[in-house]
Amino acid sequence: MLEIKNLHARIENKDILKGVDLRLGAGEVHAIMGPNGSGKSTLSKLLAGHEDYTITEGSVSFLGEDLLELAPELRAAKGIFLGFQYPVEIPGVSNMVFLKAALNAQRKARGEKELDAGDFLAWVKHRVKQMQMNPAMLSRGVNEGFSGGEKKRNEILQMLVLEPKLMVLDETDSGLDIDALKVVADGINLMRSKERSVLLVTHYQRLLDYVKPDFVHVLAGGRIVKSGGPELALELEEKGYGWIQQAA
Amino acid sequence: MLDLATFRSAFEALPEPARSSARRKALDAFLAGGLPSTDLEEWKYTDLSPLAALPPAALLPEAEAAGEGIGFTDALDALNAAFAGGSTELRIAADTRRDEPIRPADRAHQRHRLHLERGAEATLILNTSGDGAFETVFADIRLDAGARLNLVRLNDAGADAHRLTRINMHLARDACANVVTVDLGGRLSRHDLNVDLAEPGAAIHLHGLYAPAGEGHVDNHTRIEHRAPHCTSREQYRGIARDKARGVFNGMIRVHKDAQKTDSEQRIANLILSPGAEINAKPELEIYADDVKCAHGATFGQLDDEALFYLRSRGLPESTARALLTWTFAHEVLQHIHQEDVRGRVTRRLLRQLPNSEQLEALQ
Ligand SMILES: Nc1ncnc2c1ncn2[C@@H]1O[C@H](COP(=O)(O)OP(=O)(O)O)[C@@H](O)[C@H]1O
Ligand SMILES: [Mg+2]
């Protein structure tokens, strides 16, 4: 599904990613952990097409296609979704209008028929219910005045509505209480299938208790310095990152 | 001096009864004073000479002399007095609330006196949205102690429209005014808003949006005089310019010597959507009291990159994402209009003149 090879990226003359290699097969869940500032958000945003980063070396292919050439909106239409670490507020544009515009823009780009108002409403309400959100939120501005937790929940709602193939979730679990974490995890699990993959950026084992990863990677100093199975996350929880960075 | 014959001709073309001596006196005062020149600091960016080039038939002075006793303060005020033919006076009795907004008839030249007595409440909607090539609306508004006024001023006239508006407000003790002013389009619009916070506890909340397009020129001048202690002013003005349009904002806030404990805030933000567009926005603060809270700030420029990326990452084409964020920028002001019909109308018009807004119809 996703193949990252020897990826180097910089911003404002500062090298952030220094040779990342990562392969995600269809249906797999990978977790990326690592200390603050190690480049996790950089990698996530880069996959979604953020234009501030300069790629100096390496390649990324998605479903066999060169991803790095594509504009963010085309990546979205091809099935990449980024759950933002810090979702943006768009006051004055309701969640409903936003979601409908986004879904139909993607469908149009894929040559699919756009949903009419009635079909869209039914679809979005179904998803709102699954996320245990108040349908009244649909007429509020996108993330406008939402708490940190509500914003994260809204990211997952958007994901459920858009049904992407690759879900990159950047610290979606941060700032959630235990009930909200459960809802978010259920949302992610709802989307898991043989055709979809998940890249979970997280600091905490507790999300991984609900969303079982197939692989766990440690990103430190701009490179993947260690990879393993779910047990690696437990080990990190116990010992921190120091021992890996020393070993690497 | 500029030849002002067109104004005289338009006036002389009126039927005899409309050419009252009071109106003629006002006209003469205007002709003597003339249009303000761009040599004046207040008019530096706004050249009114295109008004003198309009044909007499486009000027449309009112055919009926309304009201009596025309007093005026300067040449433009005299022009409005002469062309409106008198002022309409309205008084809201003490401690009454008028639920229905006051919507003066849509005449080309209007002159209003509105007086809210102690504790009265009302909403006034002033429009210069008509088809006329030249319209003037001048209003004098007095709020007695504890009175509350909502005022919406709207100019969404067509591309050839020339507009002059001036609103003077006087607020007594604990009076409060919420004002929203919107300029969308037009060829030339100058709006002056003068607010006197004359007694302690008076408060003004001011939200302005101006979005000139094409070859349009919009000039907003506001002046808030903090004359008494413990008054509050909140001012937010946003400009969006595209094509070859030009926007001007000048926001004077003067805190007089006795106006201790003044609480004042002014926020200016501008968006330039085309390389040929221009906005000159200038805050002007004069503070003569020492125990005051005055905040002000200005942001210029472009749409927020992170927000743009967020929208695009969800699949919205860049052009749609830009239109959406431009809308959001304007919405910060428009949300303060509480009349659904007015807000809907402004929204539709604004969306029509934003680039790439076809996909945003659902916002309406
Ligand atoms: N816009 C930027 N300009 C300059 N440096 C940046 C920018 N964004 C991120 N960085 C730097 O890149 C490094 C990696 O950041 P980030 O990817 O956010 O790390 P993480 O998500 O792992 O905490 C940090 O040192 C950060 O300061
Ligand atoms: Mg991060």
PDB file of all heavy atoms in Angstrom, chain B residues 8 11-29 61-70 72 78 80-87:
ATOM      1  N   ARG B   8     -25.833  71.670  -9.830  1.00  0.00           N
ATOM      2  CA  ARG B   8     -26.792  72.766  -9.963  1.00  0.00           C
ATOM      3  C   ARG B   8     -27.872  72.401 -10.995  1.00  0.00           C
ATOM      4  O   ARG B   8     -29.068  72.558 -10.731  1.00  0.00           O
ATOM      5  CB  ARG B   8     -26.077  74.057 -10.382  1.00  0.00           C
ATOM      6  CG  ARG B   8     -27.028  75.246 -10.503  1.00  0.00           C
ATOM      7  CD  ARG B   8     -26.309  76.536 -10.869  1.00  0.00           C
ATOM      8  NE  ARG B   8     -25.483  77.097  -9.810  1.00  0.00           N
ATOM      9  CZ  ARG B   8     -25.968  77.740  -8.743  1.00  0.00           C
ATOM     10  NH1 ARG B   8     -27.265  77.878  -8.578  1.00  0.00           N
ATOM     11  NH2 ARG B   8     -25.164  78.217  -7.830  1.00  0.00           N
ATOM     12  N   PHE B  11     -30.383  70.030  -9.668  1.00  0.00           N
ATOM     13  CA  PHE B  11     -31.290  70.696  -8.735  1.00  0.00           C
ATOM     14  C   PHE B  11     -32.314  71.545  -9.483  1.00  0.00           C
ATOM     15  O   PHE B  11     -33.516  71.496  -9.207  1.00  0.00           O
ATOM     16  CB  PHE B  11     -30.481  71.560  -7.756  1.00  0.00           C
ATOM     17  CG  PHE B  11     -31.314  72.208  -6.697  1.00  0.00           C
ATOM     18  CD1 PHE B  11     -31.712  71.486  -5.575  1.00  0.00           C
ATOM     19  CD2 PHE B  11     -31.726  73.525  -6.822  1.00  0.00           C
ATOM     20  CE1 PHE B  11     -32.490  72.076  -4.591  1.00  0.00           C
ATOM     21  CE2 PHE B  11     -32.510  74.120  -5.839  1.00  0.00           C
ATOM     22  CZ  PHE B  11     -32.896  73.392  -4.727  1.00  0.00           C
ATOM     23  N   GLU B  12     -31.832  72.316 -10.472  1.00  0.00           N
ATOM     24  CA  GLU B  12     -32.738  73.212 -11.205  1.00  0.00           C
ATOM     25  C   GLU B  12     -33.776  72.444 -12.005  1.00  0.00           C
ATOM     26  O   GLU B  12     -34.830  72.974 -12.351  1.00  0.00           O
ATOM     27  CB  GLU B  12     -31.948  74.151 -12.139  1.00  0.00           C
ATOM     28  CG  GLU B  12     -30.939  75.079 -11.441  1.00  0.00           C
ATOM     29  CD  GLU B  12     -31.581  75.997 -10.399  1.00  0.00           C
ATOM     30  OE1 GLU B  12     -32.823  76.103 -10.349  1.00  0.00           O
ATOM     31  OE2 GLU B  12     -30.819  76.599  -9.598  1.00  0.00           O
ATOM     32  N   ALA B  13     -33.462  71.177 -12.299  1.00  0.00           N
ATOM     33  CA  ALA B  13     -34.410  70.354 -13.070  1.00  0.00           C
ATOM     34  C   ALA B  13     -35.582  69.873 -12.217  1.00  0.00           C
ATOM     35  O   ALA B  13     -36.546  69.308 -12.724  1.00  0.00           O
ATOM     36  CB  ALA B  13     -33.676  69.161 -13.686  1.00  0.00           C
ATOM     37  N   LEU B  14     -35.506  70.099 -10.909  1.00  0.00           N
ATOM     38  CA  LEU B  14     -36.594  69.672 -10.019  1.00  0.00           C
ATOM     39  C   LEU B  14     -37.836  70.530 -10.262  1.00  0.00           C
ATOM     40  O   LEU B  14     -37.710  71.684 -10.674  1.00  0.00           O
ATOM     41  CB  LEU B  14     -36.164  69.825  -8.551  1.00  0.00           C
ATOM     42  CG  LEU B  14     -35.138  68.828  -8.037  1.00  0.00           C
ATOM     43  CD1 LEU B  14     -34.665  69.239  -6.644  1.00  0.00           C
ATOM     44  CD2 LEU B  14     -35.727  67.424  -8.003  1.00  0.00           C
ATOM     45  N   PRO B  15     -39.031  69.972 -10.006  1.00  0.00           N
ATOM     46  CA  PRO B  15     -40.239  70.798 -10.096  1.00  0.00           C
ATOM     47  C   PRO B  15     -40.166  71.948  -9.086  1.00  0.00           C
ATOM     48  O   PRO B  15     -39.513  71.825  -8.033  1.00  0.00           O
ATOM     49  CB  PRO B  15     -41.367  69.819  -9.733  1.00  0.00           C
ATOM     50  CG  PRO B  15     -40.694  68.668  -9.051  1.00  0.00           C
ATOM     51  CD  PRO B  15     -39.309  68.589  -9.601  1.00  0.00           C
ATOM     52  N   GLU B  16     -40.839  73.015  -9.405  1.00  0.00           N
ATOM     53  CA  GLU B  16     -40.723  74.236  -8.619  1.00  0.00           C
ATOM     54  C   GLU B  16     -40.918  74.048  -7.113  1.00  0.00           C
ATOM     55  O   GLU B  16     -40.084  74.512  -6.311  1.00  0.00           O
ATOM     56  CB  GLU B  16     -41.686  75.292  -9.187  1.00  0.00           C
ATOM     57  CG  GLU B  16     -41.261  76.731  -8.930  1.00  0.00           C
ATOM     58  CD  GLU B  16     -41.566  77.178  -7.505  1.00  0.00           C
ATOM     59  OE1 GLU B  16     -42.660  76.851  -6.987  1.00  0.00           O
ATOM     60  OE2 GLU B  16     -40.682  77.821  -6.888  1.00  0.00           O
ATOM     61  N   PRO B  17     -42.000  73.372  -6.686  1.00  0.00           N
ATOM     62  CA  PRO B  17     -42.209  73.289  -5.231  1.00  0.00           C
ATOM     63  C   PRO B  17     -41.046  72.613  -4.499  1.00  0.00           C
ATOM     64  O   PRO B  17     -40.812  72.888  -3.311  1.00  0.00           O
ATOM     65  CB  PRO B  17     -43.483  72.453  -5.086  1.00  0.00           C
ATOM     66  CG  PRO B  17     -43.985  72.174  -6.456  1.00  0.00           C
ATOM     67  CD  PRO B  17     -43.016  72.662  -7.461  1.00  0.00           C
ATOM     68  N   ALA B  18     -40.318  71.754  -5.194  1.00  0.00           N
ATOM     69  CA  ALA B  18     -39.215  71.034  -4.522  1.00  0.00           C
ATOM     70  C   ALA B  18     -38.014  71.945  -4.312  1.00  0.00           C
ATOM     71  O   ALA B  18     -37.165  71.688  -3.461  1.00  0.00           O
ATOM     72  CB  ALA B  18     -38.806  69.819  -5.351  1.00  0.00           C
ATOM     73  N   ARG B  19     -37.959  73.023  -5.096  1.00  0.00           N
ATOM     74  CA  ARG B  19     -36.790  73.906  -4.987  1.00  0.00           C
ATOM     75  C   ARG B  19     -37.026  74.945  -3.892  1.00  0.00           C
ATOM     76  O   ARG B  19     -37.059  76.149  -4.155  1.00  0.00           O
ATOM     77  CB  ARG B  19     -36.519  74.568  -6.343  1.00  0.00           C
ATOM     78  CG  ARG B  19     -35.853  73.618  -7.351  1.00  0.00           C
ATOM     79  CD  ARG B  19     -35.650  74.288  -8.693  1.00  0.00           C
ATOM     80  NE  ARG B  19     -36.828  74.156  -9.539  1.00  0.00           N
ATOM     81  CZ  ARG B  19     -37.290  75.108 -10.332  1.00  0.00           C
ATOM     82  NH1 ARG B  19     -36.699  76.280 -10.376  1.00  0.00           N
ATOM     83  NH2 ARG B  19     -38.363  74.898 -11.064  1.00  0.00           N
ATOM     84  N   SER B  20     -37.208  74.504  -2.683  1.00  0.00           N
ATOM     85  CA  SER B  20     -37.485  75.416  -1.574  1.00  0.00           C
ATOM     86  C   SER B  20     -36.260  76.276  -1.291  1.00  0.00           C
ATOM     87  O   SER B  20     -35.135  75.932  -1.679  1.00  0.00           O
ATOM     88  CB  SER B  20     -37.847  74.610  -0.313  1.00  0.00           C
ATOM     89  OG  SER B  20     -36.719  73.888   0.121  1.00  0.00           O
ATOM     90  N   SER B  21     -36.501  77.358  -0.566  1.00  0.00           N
ATOM     91  CA  SER B  21     -35.374  78.255  -0.308  1.00  0.00           C
ATOM     92  C   SER B  21     -34.370  77.599   0.641  1.00  0.00           C
ATOM     93  O   SER B  21     -33.171  77.822   0.543  1.00  0.00           O
ATOM     94  CB  SER B  21     -35.876  79.591   0.251  1.00  0.00           C
ATOM     95  OG  SER B  21     -36.537  79.353   1.480  1.00  0.00           O
ATOM     96  N   ALA B  22     -34.879  76.774   1.543  1.00  0.00           N
ATOM     97  CA  ALA B  22     -33.967  76.089   2.466  1.00  0.00           C
ATOM     98  C   ALA B  22     -33.029  75.159   1.680  1.00  0.00           C
ATOM     99  O   ALA B  22     -31.828  75.090   1.938  1.00  0.00           O
ATOM    100  CB  ALA B  22     -34.759  75.290   3.498  1.00  0.00           C
ATOM    101  N   ARG B  23     -33.594  74.452   0.717  1.00  0.00           N
ATOM    102  CA  ARG B  23     -32.761  73.547  -0.077  1.00  0.00           C
ATOM    103  C   ARG B  23     -31.758  74.341  -0.907  1.00  0.00           C
ATOM    104  O   ARG B  23     -30.600  73.950  -1.053  1.00  0.00           O
ATOM    105  CB  ARG B  23     -33.629  72.689  -1.003  1.00  0.00           C
ATOM    106  CG  ARG B  23     -34.400  71.624  -0.260  1.00  0.00           C
ATOM    107  CD  ARG B  23     -35.216  70.770  -1.221  1.00  0.00           C
ATOM    108  NE  ARG B  23     -34.415  69.687  -1.792  1.00  0.00           N
ATOM    109  CZ  ARG B  23     -34.930  68.733  -2.561  1.00  0.00           C
ATOM    110  NH1 ARG B  23     -36.223  68.733  -2.855  1.00  0.00           N
ATOM    111  NH2 ARG B  23     -34.156  67.778  -3.031  1.00  0.00           N
ATOM    112  N   ARG B  24     -32.244  75.452  -1.463  1.00  0.00           N
ATOM    113  CA  ARG B  24     -31.352  76.247  -2.294  1.00  0.00           C
ATOM    114  C   ARG B  24     -30.189  76.802  -1.464  1.00  0.00           C
ATOM    115  O   ARG B  24     -29.047  76.845  -1.918  1.00  0.00           O
ATOM    116  CB  ARG B  24     -32.136  77.382  -2.955  1.00  0.00           C
ATOM    117  CG  ARG B  24     -31.300  78.167  -3.973  1.00  0.00           C
ATOM    118  CD  ARG B  24     -32.133  79.163  -4.738  1.00  0.00           C
ATOM    119  NE  ARG B  24     -33.116  78.548  -5.618  1.00  0.00           N
ATOM    120  CZ  ARG B  24     -32.833  78.011  -6.812  1.00  0.00           C
ATOM    121  NH1 ARG B  24     -31.580  77.959  -7.220  1.00  0.00           N
ATOM    122  NH2 ARG B  24     -33.776  77.502  -7.559  1.00  0.00           N
ATOM    123  N   LYS B  25     -30.500  77.146  -0.227  1.00  0.00           N
ATOM    124  CA  LYS B  25     -29.458  77.663   0.655  1.00  0.00           C
ATOM    125  C   LYS B  25     -28.385  76.573   0.884  1.00  0.00           C
ATOM    126  O   LYS B  25     -27.180  76.833   0.849  1.00  0.00           O
ATOM    127  CB  LYS B  25     -30.082  78.076   1.993  1.00  0.00           C
ATOM    128  CG  LYS B  25     -29.258  79.091   2.774  1.00  0.00           C
ATOM    129  CD  LYS B  25     -30.013  79.570   4.016  1.00  0.00           C
ATOM    130  CE  LYS B  25     -29.165  79.332   5.241  1.00  0.00           C
ATOM    131  NZ  LYS B  25     -29.925  79.265   6.474  1.00  0.00           N
ATOM    132  N   ALA B  26     -28.868  75.367   1.078  1.00  0.00           N
ATOM    133  CA  ALA B  26     -27.939  74.248   1.282  1.00  0.00           C
ATOM    134  C   ALA B  26     -27.107  74.005   0.020  1.00  0.00           C
ATOM    135  O   ALA B  26     -25.890  73.798   0.080  1.00  0.00           O
ATOM    136  CB  ALA B  26     -28.716  72.990   1.671  1.00  0.00           C
ATOM    137  N   LEU B  27     -27.802  74.051  -1.116  1.00  0.00           N
ATOM    138  CA  LEU B  27     -27.093  73.828  -2.378  1.00  0.00           C
ATOM    139  C   LEU B  27     -25.986  74.877  -2.564  1.00  0.00           C
ATOM    140  O   LEU B  27     -24.853  74.548  -2.921  1.00  0.00           O
ATOM    141  CB  LEU B  27     -28.069  73.888  -3.557  1.00  0.00           C
ATOM    142  CG  LEU B  27     -27.399  73.693  -4.924  1.00  0.00           C
ATOM    143  CD1 LEU B  27     -27.023  72.228  -5.123  1.00  0.00           C
ATOM    144  CD2 LEU B  27     -28.280  74.187  -6.048  1.00  0.00           C
ATOM    145  N   ASP B  28     -26.349  76.145  -2.290  1.00  0.00           N
ATOM    146  CA  ASP B  28     -25.361  77.210  -2.442  1.00  0.00           C
ATOM    147  C   ASP B  28     -24.166  76.997  -1.513  1.00  0.00           C
ATOM    148  O   ASP B  28     -23.020  77.242  -1.888  1.00  0.00           O
ATOM    149  CB  ASP B  28     -26.006  78.579  -2.176  1.00  0.00           C
ATOM    150  CG  ASP B  28     -26.967  78.966  -3.308  1.00  0.00           C
ATOM    151  OD1 ASP B  28     -26.827  78.375  -4.412  1.00  0.00           O
ATOM    152  OD2 ASP B  28     -27.853  79.810  -3.089  1.00  0.00           O
ATOM    153  N   ALA B  29     -24.465  76.537  -0.311  1.00  0.00           N
ATOM    154  CA  ALA B  29     -23.372  76.284   0.640  1.00  0.00           C
ATOM    155  C   ALA B  29     -22.458  75.179   0.108  1.00  0.00           C
ATOM    156  O   ALA B  29     -21.225  75.260   0.190  1.00  0.00           O
ATOM    157  CB  ALA B  29     -23.934  75.896   1.999  1.00  0.00           C
ATOM    158  N   PRO B  61     -31.710  64.181  -7.237  1.00  0.00           N
ATOM    159  CA  PRO B  61     -32.184  64.800  -5.987  1.00  0.00           C
ATOM    160  C   PRO B  61     -33.656  64.453  -5.761  1.00  0.00           C
ATOM    161  O   PRO B  61     -34.389  64.225  -6.724  1.00  0.00           O
ATOM    162  CB  PRO B  61     -31.987  66.299  -6.255  1.00  0.00           C
ATOM    163  CG  PRO B  61     -31.837  66.441  -7.725  1.00  0.00           C
ATOM    164  CD  PRO B  61     -31.298  65.155  -8.244  1.00  0.00           C
ATOM    165  N   GLU B  62     -34.072  64.408  -4.511  1.00  0.00           N
ATOM    166  CA  GLU B  62     -35.449  64.010  -4.209  1.00  0.00           C
ATOM    167  C   GLU B  62     -36.426  65.073  -4.717  1.00  0.00           C
ATOM    168  O   GLU B  62     -36.222  66.276  -4.510  1.00  0.00           O
ATOM    169  CB  GLU B  62     -35.626  63.817  -2.696  1.00  0.00           C
ATOM    170  CG  GLU B  62     -34.777  62.698  -2.119  1.00  0.00           C
ATOM    171  CD  GLU B  62     -35.039  61.360  -2.778  1.00  0.00           C
ATOM    172  OE1 GLU B  62     -36.207  61.104  -3.175  1.00  0.00           O
ATOM    173  OE2 GLU B  62     -34.090  60.561  -2.933  1.00  0.00           O
ATOM    174  N   ALA B  63     -37.491  64.601  -5.350  1.00  0.00           N
ATOM    175  CA  ALA B  63     -38.450  65.527  -5.957  1.00  0.00           C
ATOM    176  C   ALA B  63     -39.384  66.137  -4.916  1.00  0.00           C
ATOM    177  O   ALA B  63     -40.109  67.083  -5.190  1.00  0.00           O
ATOM    178  CB  ALA B  63     -39.249  64.821  -7.034  1.00  0.00           C
ATOM    179  N   GLU B  64     -39.386  65.597  -3.718  1.00  0.00           N
ATOM    180  CA  GLU B  64     -40.234  66.184  -2.683  1.00  0.00           C
ATOM    181  C   GLU B  64     -39.357  66.716  -1.564  1.00  0.00           C
ATOM    182  O   GLU B  64     -38.460  66.010  -1.084  1.00  0.00           O
ATOM    183  CB  GLU B  64     -41.194  65.138  -2.114  1.00  0.00           C
ATOM    184  CG  GLU B  64     -42.419  64.927  -2.987  1.00  0.00           C
ATOM    185  CD  GLU B  64     -43.257  63.783  -2.469  1.00  0.00           C
ATOM    186  OE1 GLU B  64     -43.477  63.725  -1.242  1.00  0.00           O
ATOM    187  OE2 GLU B  64     -43.656  62.954  -3.294  1.00  0.00           O
ATOM    188  N   ALA B  65     -39.635  67.949  -1.169  1.00  0.00           N
ATOM    189  CA  ALA B  65     -38.881  68.508  -0.064  1.00  0.00           C
ATOM    190  C   ALA B  65     -39.456  67.962   1.234  1.00  0.00           C
ATOM    191  O   ALA B  65     -40.570  68.295   1.609  1.00  0.00           O
ATOM    192  CB  ALA B  65     -38.951  70.028  -0.087  1.00  0.00           C
ATOM    193  N   ALA B  66     -38.716  67.088   1.885  1.00  0.00           N
ATOM    194  CA  ALA B  66     -39.212  66.489   3.117  1.00  0.00           C
ATOM    195  C   ALA B  66     -38.730  67.308   4.300  1.00  0.00           C
ATOM    196  O   ALA B  66     -37.595  67.766   4.314  1.00  0.00           O
ATOM    197  CB  ALA B  66     -38.708  65.054   3.231  1.00  0.00           C
ATOM    198  N   GLY B  67     -39.596  67.482   5.261  1.00  0.00           N
ATOM    199  CA  GLY B  67     -39.187  68.086   6.527  1.00  0.00           C
ATOM    200  C   GLY B  67     -38.792  69.550   6.412  1.00  0.00           C
ATOM    201  O   GLY B  67     -38.763  70.149   5.349  1.00  0.00           O
ATOM    202  N   GLU B  68     -38.512  70.099   7.541  1.00  0.00           N
ATOM    203  CA  GLU B  68     -38.187  71.521   7.642  1.00  0.00           C
ATOM    204  C   GLU B  68     -36.806  71.665   8.241  1.00  0.00           C
ATOM    205  O   GLU B  68     -36.130  70.696   8.552  1.00  0.00           O
ATOM    206  CB  GLU B  68     -39.212  72.207   8.554  1.00  0.00           C
ATOM    207  CG  GLU B  68     -40.566  72.411   7.912  1.00  0.00           C
ATOM    208  CD  GLU B  68     -40.492  73.276   6.638  1.00  0.00           C
ATOM    209  OE1 GLU B  68     -39.874  74.367   6.685  1.00  0.00           O
ATOM    210  OE2 GLU B  68     -41.033  72.849   5.603  1.00  0.00           O
ATOM    211  N   GLY B  69     -36.405  72.901   8.391  1.00  0.00           N
ATOM    212  CA  GLY B  69     -35.209  73.244   9.171  1.00  0.00           C
ATOM    213  C   GLY B  69     -33.980  72.452   8.787  1.00  0.00           C
ATOM    214  O   GLY B  69     -33.598  71.498   9.447  1.00  0.00           O
ATOM    215  N   ILE B  70     -33.378  72.808   7.687  1.00  0.00           N
ATOM    216  CA  ILE B  70     -32.192  72.104   7.259  1.00  0.00           C
ATOM    217  C   ILE B  70     -30.963  72.810   7.802  1.00  0.00           C
ATOM    218  O   ILE B  70     -30.608  73.895   7.360  1.00  0.00           O
ATOM    219  CB  ILE B  70     -32.126  72.054   5.717  1.00  0.00           C
ATOM    220  CG1 ILE B  70     -33.388  71.375   5.172  1.00  0.00           C
ATOM    221  CG2 ILE B  70     -30.883  71.328   5.263  1.00  0.00           C
ATOM    222  CD1 ILE B  70     -33.444  71.393   3.663  1.00  0.00           C
ATOM    223  N   PHE B  72     -26.752  72.331   8.452  1.00  0.00           N
ATOM    224  CA  PHE B  72     -25.684  71.466   7.947  1.00  0.00           C
ATOM    225  C   PHE B  72     -24.360  71.925   8.506  1.00  0.00           C
ATOM    226  O   PHE B  72     -24.233  73.046   8.999  1.00  0.00           O
ATOM    227  CB  PHE B  72     -25.663  71.465   6.418  1.00  0.00           C
ATOM    228  CG  PHE B  72     -25.852  72.829   5.820  1.00  0.00           C
ATOM    229  CD1 PHE B  72     -24.770  73.684   5.691  1.00  0.00           C
ATOM    230  CD2 PHE B  72     -27.118  73.248   5.420  1.00  0.00           C
ATOM    231  CE1 PHE B  72     -24.949  74.947   5.156  1.00  0.00           C
ATOM    232  CE2 PHE B  72     -27.287  74.518   4.880  1.00  0.00           C
ATOM    233  CZ  PHE B  72     -26.209  75.372   4.759  1.00  0.00           C
ATOM    234  N   ALA B  78     -24.138  69.713   3.447  1.00  0.00           N
ATOM    235  CA  ALA B  78     -25.049  70.619   2.749  1.00  0.00           C
ATOM    236  C   ALA B  78     -25.561  69.982   1.453  1.00  0.00           C
ATOM    237  O   ALA B  78     -26.738  70.096   1.108  1.00  0.00           O
ATOM    238  CB  ALA B  78     -24.328  71.932   2.442  1.00  0.00           C
ATOM    239  N   ASN B  80     -25.973  66.782   0.887  1.00  0.00           N
ATOM    240  CA  ASN B  80     -26.989  65.800   1.280  1.00  0.00           C
ATOM    241  C   ASN B  80     -28.292  66.489   1.666  1.00  0.00           C
ATOM    242  O   ASN B  80     -29.383  66.063   1.276  1.00  0.00           O
ATOM    243  CB  ASN B  80     -26.459  64.933   2.427  1.00  0.00           C
ATOM    244  CG  ASN B  80     -27.549  64.054   3.039  1.00  0.00           C
ATOM    245  OD1 ASN B  80     -28.060  64.353   4.110  1.00  0.00           O
ATOM    246  ND2 ASN B  80     -27.918  62.989   2.344  1.00  0.00           N
ATOM    247  N   ALA B  81     -28.174  67.597   2.425  1.00  0.00           N
ATOM    248  CA  ALA B  81     -29.371  68.321   2.851  1.00  0.00           C
ATOM    249  C   ALA B  81     -30.137  68.837   1.638  1.00  0.00           C
ATOM    250  O   ALA B  81     -31.360  68.711   1.553  1.00  0.00           O
ATOM    251  CB  ALA B  81     -28.974  69.484   3.763  1.00  0.00           C
ATOM    252  N   ALA B  82     -29.425  69.393   0.681  1.00  0.00           N
ATOM    253  CA  ALA B  82     -30.073  69.933  -0.515  1.00  0.00           C
ATOM    254  C   ALA B  82     -30.737  68.830  -1.329  1.00  0.00           C
ATOM    255  O   ALA B  82     -31.869  68.970  -1.790  1.00  0.00           O
ATOM    256  CB  ALA B  82     -29.043  70.661  -1.366  1.00  0.00           C
ATOM    257  N   PHE B  83     -30.056  67.712  -1.492  1.00  0.00           N
ATOM    258  CA  PHE B  83     -30.572  66.652  -2.354  1.00  0.00           C
ATOM    259  C   PHE B  83     -31.627  65.790  -1.670  1.00  0.00           C
ATOM    260  O   PHE B  83     -32.534  65.276  -2.323  1.00  0.00           O
ATOM    261  CB  PHE B  83     -29.417  65.789  -2.886  1.00  0.00           C
ATOM    262  CG  PHE B  83     -28.821  66.355  -4.145  1.00  0.00           C
ATOM    263  CD1 PHE B  83     -28.745  67.728  -4.342  1.00  0.00           C
ATOM    264  CD2 PHE B  83     -28.350  65.525  -5.158  1.00  0.00           C
ATOM    265  CE1 PHE B  83     -28.217  68.263  -5.506  1.00  0.00           C
ATOM    266  CE2 PHE B  83     -27.829  66.050  -6.333  1.00  0.00           C
ATOM    267  CZ  PHE B  83     -27.752  67.415  -6.506  1.00  0.00           C
ATOM    268  N   ALA B  84     -31.505  65.612  -0.352  1.00  0.00           N
ATOM    269  CA  ALA B  84     -32.524  64.828   0.362  1.00  0.00           C
ATOM    270  C   ALA B  84     -33.770  65.677   0.565  1.00  0.00           C
ATOM    271  O   ALA B  84     -34.879  65.155   0.696  1.00  0.00           O
ATOM    272  CB  ALA B  84     -31.987  64.351   1.703  1.00  0.00           C
ATOM    273  N   GLY B  85     -33.579  66.972   0.620  1.00  0.00           N
ATOM    274  CA  GLY B  85     -34.720  67.870   0.757  1.00  0.00           C
ATOM    275  C   GLY B  85     -35.256  67.947   2.168  1.00  0.00           C
ATOM    276  O   GLY B  85     -36.405  68.291   2.388  1.00  0.00           O
ATOM    277  N   GLY B  86     -34.448  67.616   3.129  1.00  0.00           N
ATOM    278  CA  GLY B  86     -34.892  67.702   4.519  1.00  0.00           C
ATOM    279  C   GLY B  86     -34.671  66.379   5.221  1.00  0.00           C
ATOM    280  O   GLY B  86     -34.336  65.373   4.585  1.00  0.00           O
ATOM    281  N   SER B  87     -34.822  66.397   6.520  1.00  0.00           N
ATOM    282  CA  SER B  87     -34.526  65.160   7.235  1.00  0.00           C
ATOM    283  C   SER B  87     -35.793  64.528   7.792  1.00  0.00           C
ATOM    284  O   SER B  87     -36.757  65.218   8.111  1.00  0.00           O
ATOM    285  CB  SER B  87     -33.533  65.425   8.355  1.00  0.00           C
ATOM    286  OG  SER B  87     -34.018  66.447   9.181  1.00  0.00           O
TER     287      SER B  87
END
